């Protein structure tokens, strides 16, 4: 199940966000907390709230998966334990 997987190191696109200034941000997830993803774009890291976001992750096989950020709100280690 994708939602229980590790997000750090994945390529992500913020397809939509409650904060319109974050729409279109894309890059590599460098860190994750309960409520935020840290996305490296060029030489800077952008802190993106999970809540209110629609995220598109690129999988290792080249496919993409779309996820509502609200479904990712949890500490990463707790999300990994969810059934």
């Amino acid at each position: 199940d994708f939602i229980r997987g590790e997000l750090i190191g994945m390529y992500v696109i913020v397809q939509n966000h409650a904060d319109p200034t974050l729409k279109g941000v894309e890059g590599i997830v460098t860190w994750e907390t309960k409520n935020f993803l840290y996305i490296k774009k060029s030489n800077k890291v952008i802190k993106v709230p999970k809540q209110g976001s629609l995220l598109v992750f690129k999988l290792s096989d080249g496919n993409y998966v779309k996820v509502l950020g609200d479904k990712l709100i949890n500490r990463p280690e707790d999300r990994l334990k969810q059934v």
Side-chain angles (χ1 to χ4, degrees):
D1 184 35
F2 174 80
I3 290 177
R4 294 185 340 170
E6 178 65 62
L7 302 179
I8 294 173
M10 294 191 75
Y11 184 83
V12 64
I13 303 165
V14 181
Q15 187 173 23
N16 205 351
H17 202 284
D19 176 350
T21 64
L22 295 173
K23 184 177 178 180
V25 168
E26 57 185 278
I28 302 295
V29 178
T30 58
W31 192 249
E32 178 187 10
T33 64
K34 177 180 177 182
N35 295 303
F36 294 94
L37 291 178
Y38 293 79
I39 301 172
K40 184 174 183 178
K41 180 178 181 177
S42 300
N43 289 329
K44 68 183 201 175
V45 176
I46 301 166
K47 183 178 176 181
V48 177
K50 293 175 182 176
Q51 186 171 1
S53 66
L54 177 59
L55 305 164
V56 180
F57 290 90
K58 185 176 182 180
L59 303 177
S60 59
D61 64 6
N63 288 315
Y64 291 85
V65 63
K66 202 178 280 194
V67 179
L68 289 172
D70 294 37
K71 292 188 179 272
L72 300 174
I73 296 175
N74 210 335
R75 293 185 314 163
E77 60 272 23
D78 291 340
R79 195 181 68 242
L80 295 173
K81 297 176 195 173
Q82 288 178 344
V83 177

